[in-house]
Amino acid sequence: MKVAFVGAGSVAEQYAADLSESPLRLTAVCDLDADRAERLAARCETATAYTDLDTMLAAGSAPLIVNLTSHAAHGPVTRACLDAGRHVFSEKPLALDADTAAGLVRTARERGLSLACAPENHLADAQRHAHSLLSDGRLGPVR
């Protein structure tokens, strides 16, 4: 299945690392930073780099978009992709507020599209870092 990444930072690098072992084929990468988009796209012979989401959505045929943007961009990027008729898998959080997230879920349901979000777990980088700060006392007493 063709897939496009929106966001080409360090998280995207992690996602791209194992694509060759999956049935997914990266066909497009979009990032505001052209160099980052081009670097990640170059890792896959069939991927095209973009710096504009609307242009990528209009040009590409990937039915699945992986949203790897910054937290503040998750909601608007997912909205644009759903509005373009694409299935979306987003890094967490789905949106910065519950109303926006609920609207995205509603839109996906109404359009018959899949919408998924990466789960949060205690082994994620942020949680492990917080644990280390708590364990060695750098945060002080927690009340």
Side-chain angles (χ1 to χ4, degrees):
M1 171 187 278
K2 294 178 182 178
V3 62
F5 284 6
V6 181
S10 60
V11 172
E13 293 284 341
Q14 293 173 21
Y15 272 78
D18 294 326
L19 277 182
S20 64
E21 303 299 320
S22 79
L24 300 175
R25 191 180 69 181
L26 187 64
T27 59
V29 176
C30 183
D31 195 286
L32 296 175
D33 182 326
D35 290 336
R36 278 198 321 201
E38 290 170 10
R39 266 194 312 273
L40 187 58
R43 291 178 59 181
C44 302
E45 296 173 6
T46 57
T48 303
Y50 296 90
T51 57
D52 180 74
L53 177 60
D54 292 332
T55 301
M56 184 192 79
L57 291 171
S61 61
L64 173 61
I65 307 296
V66 178
N67 184 353
L68 303 169
T69 58
S70 65
H71 290 178
H74 285 184
V77 167
T78 296
R79 163 67 58 203
C81 295
L82 292 172
D83 288 346
R86 309 301 171 85
H87 305 284
V88 180
F89 178 86
S90 181
E91 258 299 318
K92 62 221 167 278
L94 185 58
L96 292 183
D97 64 87
D99 289 339
T100 301
L104 295 171
V105 170
R106 189 171 41 256
T107 297
R109 185 180 309 119
E110 290 169 357
R111 294 176 182 229
L113 297 168
S114 296
L115 174 62
C117 185
E120 186 63 70
N121 70 60
H122 69 285
L123 298 176
D125 291 341
Q127 285 67 27
R128 289 192 322 236
H129 182 64
H131 179 264
S132 71
L133 294 173
L134 285 168
S135 296
D136 65 17
R138 285 183 279 170
L139 289 181
V142 177
R143 295 175 174 61

